[in-house]
Each structure stands twice: as structure tokens, then as C-alpha cells.
């Protein structure tokens, strides 16, 4: 259970850094508390997307992974971020990613920051 909480907080932190660094990734809200709650909910959606959808997409695009020596990972991460943005809109969460190239940059930032946070934060159950 603790591992799930740590990974969700790491995703929320990584999403927050992406919102802060990339102007076309937006998070709106009336107050800081609502923004933090929205960020945590979006992190949960992002975690679910990465847990359920990403392995299937990776399996289906395995030849492209081999052909591009793994660079297609950037595209897959961007698509997962765009799917998260779309799902956030469906759940009326105020998180939006504008365009594919913004999602590529956001996915890269989220991957690096999430990796760094997972290294720093404890992950014992």
C-alpha cells in the first residue's frame, strides 16, 4: 500500500513539474488546495493508464521498439499523457495537454522527474 502511495505522489510531483515547465500543459483551479487535489487525481489516472494501457501498447509496438532502438518510447509516453488528458476532461478534472509535441516534451519531463523521485523516495511496503 505504501508503495502505491509513494508512486502516486511521485507521479503527482512529476506532473506538477511538467505543468510548471511546459506552458501548454495546464492545470487550473480556484485555490492551491484544489490544484493539489486535482494533481493527485490526475496522477491516479496517469498511474492507471500506465498500468493498464501502456503494456498493451508496448506489446503491439514491439517491432517499432526494436527498429527504433527504444526511441518509440517517447511517442508511447506522449500518447499515454494525451490519453490521461482526455480522461481528465471526461472526469471534469482541470488538466489539459495541448498537442502531440507538447505531450512528447511533457512525457520526457515526467519520465525523468518520476524516475528521480522514485530513487529518492522510499518504496518499501
Amino acid at each position: 500500500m505504501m508503495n502505491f502511495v509513494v508512486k502516486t505522489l511521485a507521479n503527482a510531483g512529476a506532473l506538477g513539474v511538467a505543468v510548471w515547465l511546459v506552458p501548454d500543459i495546464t492545470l487550473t483551479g480556484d485555490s492551491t488546495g484544489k490544484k493539489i487535489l486535482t494533481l493527485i487525481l490526475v496522477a491516479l489516472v496517469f498511474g492507471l493508464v500506465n498500468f493498464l494501457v501502456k503494456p498493451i501498447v508496448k506489446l503491439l509496438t514491439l517491432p517499432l521498439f526494436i527498429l527504433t532502438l527504444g526511441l518509440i518510447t517517447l511517442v508511447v509516453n506522449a500518447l499515454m499523457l494525451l490519453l490521461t488528458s482526455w480522461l481528465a476532461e471526461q472526469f471534469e478534472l482541470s488538466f489539459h495537454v495541448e498537442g502531440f509535441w507538447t505531450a512528447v516534451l511533457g512525457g520526457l519531463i515526467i519520465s525523468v522527474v518520476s524516475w528521480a523521485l522514485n530513487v529518492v523516495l522510499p518504496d518499501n511496503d
Side-chain angles (χ1 to χ4, degrees):
M1 181 66 176
M2 186 63 166
N3 191 22
F4 173 75
V5 172
V6 168
K7 291 204 180 290
T8 301
L9 290 176
N11 276 340
L15 285 164
V17 170
V19 166
W20 179 56
L21 290 176
V22 183
D24 288 336
I25 299 177
T26 57
L27 176 73
T28 56
D30 298 336
S31 66
T32 304
K34 285 187 180 181
K35 286 183 182 179
I36 291 172
L37 180 63
T38 300
L39 202 56
I40 291 171
L41 291 173
V42 170
L44 286 170
V45 171
F46 187 65
L48 277 172
V49 165
N50 281 330
F51 180 74
L52 297 174
V53 178
K54 192 173 185 178
I56 296 168
V57 172
K58 277 187 163 183
L59 181 64
L60 293 175
T61 60
L62 184 61
L64 289 175
F65 273 94
I66 295 167
L67 186 65
T68 64
L69 301 175
L71 288 176
I72 195 73
T73 303
L74 293 172
V75 174
V76 171
N77 287 343
L79 293 174
M80 297 304 107
L81 189 57
L82 286 171
L83 179 59
T84 300
S85 174
W86 180 79
L87 287 171
E89 286 180 22
Q90 302 308 308
F91 291 122
E92 296 180 1
L93 299 172
S94 58
F95 176 80
H96 183 70
V97 178
E98 186 66 40
F100 176 75
W101 292 109
T102 301
V104 169
L105 180 59
L108 184 61
I109 291 169
I110 290 168
S111 295
V112 170
V113 172
S114 181
W115 170 79
L117 288 174
N118 279 317
V119 166
V120 173
L121 295 174
D123 63 347
N124 52 353
D125 281 328

